[in-house]
């Protein structure tokens, strides 16, 4: 994989175009990162320019730098393009300004004074996981769904997490627990379906928070699709039922992603896509392969070979990718956050207690 060092800024502020635009601004990098080394090298190549830059190396993570930009605590930061891609949905106001270095491969580093046994072992490891498909699976799992949220979508989603989700959070938790499912995943599905609008109705006739069809609602015993609790209950139960049908040889997380696709497009069409995948010599048990064949169900050349025929196969692919990104953001926003000030206060109080006791 490759990445490029970039300068990032807060959307709404003036976008810097080059190094000279950074003069007089608050700039930060992660300490002990190669960005710090690049700035130090700038001092050698352009000492006059470097002398005018005010930058600091902070002992934090990249995502912390992005938060400080969004909170206006610093003006700019130097991070990598891949880091921005991973974290931008959490801080959508943080945008790329310009590249500050050359694109380079992500590399492993080893102590220079060691023999080559560990390096050889690592090279063998990567060769093996590349040959058996594990490396591709990992790339799909952690990077395959990035870029699904643009600036407007990310800000809207975060706003709806704070304003709409609280009304339904306990319902998602209650019914997800019944089926041993992650409530945040089910809530993310609900957002993809209706943006958490209980009375949502589509032109195709699906309706409610989980956008159930009339047939699905009847199958799950739901009488009023516009009742939010009934919709959530029916949607989660239906997803659990689909997931239980996914063949045992399909492992997680592929099983969950395929169940999502089937929820959207229908289990029969998913099976058609898996058969096409296998015919092409790819793995029908891997989402990374199956997602490339679902869109082919729109083409007569392919859907005439299948049992269930035509389907808008690109939709379940986008559907799954969106939910995965929503899930990332929701998981991040609902995890317990460390209150550094409270910890410091607690440590101070404990220290004073210890002193008094002694």
């Amino acid at each position: 994989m490759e990445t490029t060092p970039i300068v990032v800024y807060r959307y709404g502020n003036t976008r810097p175009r080059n190094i000279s635009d950074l003069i007089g601004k608050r700039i930060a990098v992660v300490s002990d990162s190669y960005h710090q080394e690049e700035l130090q090298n700038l001092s050698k190549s352009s000492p006059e320019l470097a002398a005018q830059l005010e930058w600091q190396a902070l002992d934090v993570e990249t995502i912390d730098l992005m938060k400080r930009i969004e909170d206006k605590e610093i003006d700019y930061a130097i991070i990598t393009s891949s880091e921005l891609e991973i974290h931008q949905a959490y801080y959508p106001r943080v945008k790329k300004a310009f590249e500050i270095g050359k694109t380079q491969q992500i590399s492993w580093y080893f102590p220079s004074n060691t023999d080559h046994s560990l390096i050889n072992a690592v090279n063998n490891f990567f060769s093996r996981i590349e040959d058996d498909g594990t490396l591709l699976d990992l790339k799909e799992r952690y990077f395959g769904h990035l870029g699904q949220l643009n600036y407007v979508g990310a800000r809207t989603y975060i706003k709806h997490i704070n304003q709409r989700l609280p009304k339904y959070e306990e319902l998602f938790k209650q019914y997800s627990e019944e089926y041993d499912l992650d409530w945040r995943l089910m809530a993310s599905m609900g957002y993809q379906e209706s943006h958490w609008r209980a009375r949502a109705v589509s032109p195709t006739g699906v309706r409610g928070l989980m956008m159930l069809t009339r047939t699905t609602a009847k199958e799950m015993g739901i009488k009023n699709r516009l009742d939010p609790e009934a919709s959530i209950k029916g949607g989660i139960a239906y997803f659990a039922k689909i997931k239980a049908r996914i063949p045992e040889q399909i492992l997680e997380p592929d099983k969950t992603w395929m169940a999502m696709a089937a929820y959207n497009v229908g289990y029969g069409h998913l099976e058609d896509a898996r058969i096409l995948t296998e015919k092409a010599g790819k793995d029908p048990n891997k989402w990374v392969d199956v997602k490339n064949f679902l869109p082919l169900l729109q083409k007569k050349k392919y859907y005439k070979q299948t049992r269930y025929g035509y389907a808008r196969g690109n939709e379940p692919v986008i559907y799954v990718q969106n939910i995965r990104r929503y899930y990332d953001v929701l998981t991040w926003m609902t995890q317990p956050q460390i209150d550094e000030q409270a910890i410091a206060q607690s440590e101070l109080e404990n220290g004073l207690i210890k002193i008094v006791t002694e």
Side-chain angles (χ1 to χ4, degrees), residues 129-145:
I129 66 172
E130 187 167 17
D131 290 342
D132 67 14
T134 301
L135 184 58
L136 187 62
D137 288 345
L138 289 170
K139 286 182 179 179
E140 167 62 30
R141 181 170 185 172
Y142 293 104
F143 298 95
H145 59 297

Side-chain angles (χ1 to χ4, degrees), residues 161-178:
I161 287 174
N162 292 322
Q163 295 180 358
R164 294 183 181 178
L165 181 58
K167 292 186 291 185
Y168 309 116
E169 184 173 324
E170 290 306 315
L171 293 173
F172 278 115
K173 288 179 178 178
Q174 176 186 340
Y175 292 109
S176 296
E177 186 177 358
E178 284 188 19

Side-chain angles (χ1 to χ4, degrees), residues 20-237:
S20 300
D21 291 340
L22 307 186
I23 295 174
K25 301 296 184 179
R26 299 166 297 176
I27 311 164
V29 297
V30 174
S31 61
D32 296 323
S33 66
Y34 76 92
H35 307 309
Q36 182 178 351
E37 186 177 329
E38 286 181 348
L39 286 172
Q40 291 167 343
N41 290 336
L42 184 64
S43 301
K44 301 174 184 177
S45 60
S46 304
E48 293 184 7
L49 179 60
Q52 300 179 71
L53 294 179
E54 300 175 10
W55 61 275
Q56 53 184 326
L58 303 178
D59 188 18
V60 296
E61 300 290 337
T62 296
I63 195 169
D64 299 314
L65 289 185
M66 294 177 66
K67 182 179 188 301
R68 294 186 186 200
I69 288 178
E70 186 141 311
D71 293 343
K72 301 182 180 181
E73 295 178 12
I74 57 176
D75 298 310
Y76 309 124
I78 301 174
I79 63 175
T80 66
S81 55
S82 54
E83 289 170 328
L84 177 63
E85 189 177 19
I86 292 169
H87 300 308
Q88 192 168 33
Y90 312 133
Y91 296 111
R93 284 190 179 275
V94 179
K95 311 283 274 186
K96 173 184 173 180
F98 61 90
E99 296 179 0
I100 197 172
K102 296 180 179 180
T103 297
Q104 49 194 286
Q105 287 189 321
I106 297 174
S107 305
W108 285 44
Y109 282 79
F110 300 89
S112 59
N113 60 348
T114 61
D115 62 29
H116 287 273
S117 59
L118 180 57
I119 297 175
N120 291 337
V122 170
N123 287 333
N124 290 334
F125 166 75
F126 273 110
S127 294
R128 187 177 76 250
I129 66 172
E130 187 167 17
D131 290 342
D132 67 14
T134 301
L135 184 58
L136 187 62
D137 288 345
L138 289 170
K139 286 182 179 179
E140 167 62 30
R141 181 170 185 172
Y142 293 104
F143 298 95
H145 59 297
L146 301 184
Q148 293 299 116
L149 275 179
N150 59 23
Y151 170 74
V152 174
R155 284 185 56 78
T156 301
Y157 181 49
I158 290 171
K159 181 180 75 173
H160 288 165
I161 287 174
N162 292 322
Q163 295 180 358
R164 294 183 181 178
L165 181 58
K167 292 186 291 185
Y168 309 116
E169 184 173 324
E170 290 306 315
L171 293 173
F172 278 115
K173 288 179 178 178
Q174 176 186 340
Y175 292 109
S176 296
E177 186 177 358
E178 284 188 19
Y179 296 96
D180 194 26
L181 295 169
D182 188 330
W183 76 269
R184 296 164 300 187
L185 185 66
M186 296 296 96
S188 299
M189 284 185 63
Y191 187 79
Q192 172 64 23
E193 292 288 355
S194 67
H195 283 205
W196 297 321
R197 291 179 295 121
R199 303 191 68 80
V201 179
S202 85
T204 58
V206 295
R207 57 179 57 196
L209 198 144
M210 297 297 282
M211 283 294 187
L212 302 178
T213 65
R214 189 185 302 274
T215 302
T216 300
K218 184 177 181 180
E219 180 182 345
M220 307 316 296
I222 303 302
K223 295 181 179 179
N224 182 5
R225 289 181 287 167
L226 297 181
D227 175 64
E229 180 171 3
S231 185
I232 291 171
K233 177 182 179 181
I236 292 175

Side-chain angles (χ1 to χ4, degrees), residues 116 269 275 312:
H116 287 273
H269 291 305
I275 290 170
R312 295 193 297 270

Side-chain angles (χ1 to χ4, degrees), residues 6 8 23 26 28 30 49 81 92 105 109 167 180 210 222 238 249 267 277-278 283 292 295 328-329 339 352:
I6 58 175
V8 293
I23 295 174
R26 299 166 297 176
V30 174
L49 179 60
S81 55
Q105 287 189 321
Y109 282 79
K167 292 186 291 185
D180 194 26
M210 297 297 282
I222 303 302
Y238 185 60
Q249 67 267 24
Y267 187 83
T277 304
E278 188 170 28
D283 192 340
N292 293 324
D328 283 350
V329 176
D339 189 333
L352 290 172

Side-chain angles (χ1 to χ4, degrees), residues 247-302:
E248 291 184 4
Q249 67 267 24
I250 299 178
L251 305 178
E252 292 291 3
D254 300 85
K255 176 176 287 191
T256 293
W257 297 340
M258 289 198 199
M260 284 182 197
Y263 186 98
N264 175 260
V265 77
Y267 187 83
H269 291 305
L270 173 68
E271 283 299 294
D272 284 346
R274 292 184 62 235
I275 290 170
L276 291 176
T277 304
E278 188 170 28
K279 284 182 178 179
K282 300 296 183 179
D283 192 340
N285 298 330
K286 297 291 186 182
W287 173 249
V288 67
D289 288 333
V290 175
K291 75 172 187 176
N292 293 324
F293 287 85
L294 273 163
L296 298 183
L297 297 178
Q298 299 174 168
K299 299 182 179 181
K300 187 175 183 180
K301 175 183 175 181
Y302 295 96

